[in-house]
Amino acid sequence: MTIPFTYYLYHKPTGLKYYGVRYKKNCSPKDLWTIYFSSSSRVKALIEHYGKDSFYVEVRKTFDDKIKAVLWETKVLQKLNVKNKKDWLNVHVNDFAYCNVGGYFLTEEQKRKISESTKGRVLDDEWKNKISLGNKGK
């Protein structure tokens, strides 16, 4: 049985943090730090250097659906503004993209809910410039 979940990691020696999601087929929160140690290359490098016991590990929330888990992770990362903070290891923040999640595209209803949740959000000039450059193509 698959139980998608989000988790929090705190690296004790450096104070660095990571918030992640796991939704692989047949995954379970009990996998965390036993057979699953995050997909983050930054976390993996810290484990290799300091060992897995150098982390405080916590399952934060479980879900009945992987899309809900991914959306929750994105919401948390955005609320914490991790992409603008140096003490977070997270590199990618979904930004509520209408993306392919684990091989499945979001339904129209899910897209509508995401759209409603992001209405009124103000984008800074740097982000607008990135969008503009991306839309111009090569």
Side-chain angles (χ1 to χ4, degrees), residues 24-93:
K24 182 180 177 182
K25 185 177 180 180
N26 296 321
C27 74
S28 167
K30 68 181 181 183
D31 298 345
L32 186 61
W33 238 242
T34 57
I35 62 170
Y36 178 71
F37 300 92
S38 174
S39 61
S40 167
S41 59
R42 291 177 172 185
V43 170
K44 289 176 183 176
L46 289 171
I47 291 171
E48 189 173 315
H49 188 266
Y50 293 93
K52 70 177 192 169
D53 293 334
S54 65
F55 282 86
Y56 166 76
V57 179
E58 180 182 331
V59 172
R60 284 291 172 96
K61 190 169 178 152
T62 60
F63 301 85
D64 57 5
D65 177 294
K66 67 181 170 184
I67 293 173
K68 289 177 187 173
V70 171
L71 291 175
W72 181 259
E73 178 210 27
T74 302
K75 182 177 179 178
V76 169
L77 293 174
Q78 284 183 335
K79 187 170 186 168
L80 294 172
N81 194 26
V82 301
K83 65 182 174 185
N84 294 318
K85 294 182 179 174
K86 296 193 183 306
D87 60 337
W88 283 87
L89 295 166
N90 295 75
V91 174
H92 303 288
V93 177

Side-chain angles (χ1 to χ4, degrees), residues 5-16:
F5 63 95
T6 57
Y7 59 93
Y8 170 76
L9 306 175
Y10 177 78
H11 190 241
K12 296 178 234 179
T14 62
L16 295 171

Side-chain angles (χ1 to χ4, degrees), residues 83 95 121 123-132:
K83 65 182 174 185
D95 288 323
R121 183 174 65 171
L123 301 176
D124 63 332
D125 290 338
E126 179 185 356
W127 186 249
K128 288 178 185 176
N129 190 38
K130 287 180 182 179
I131 293 170
S132 174

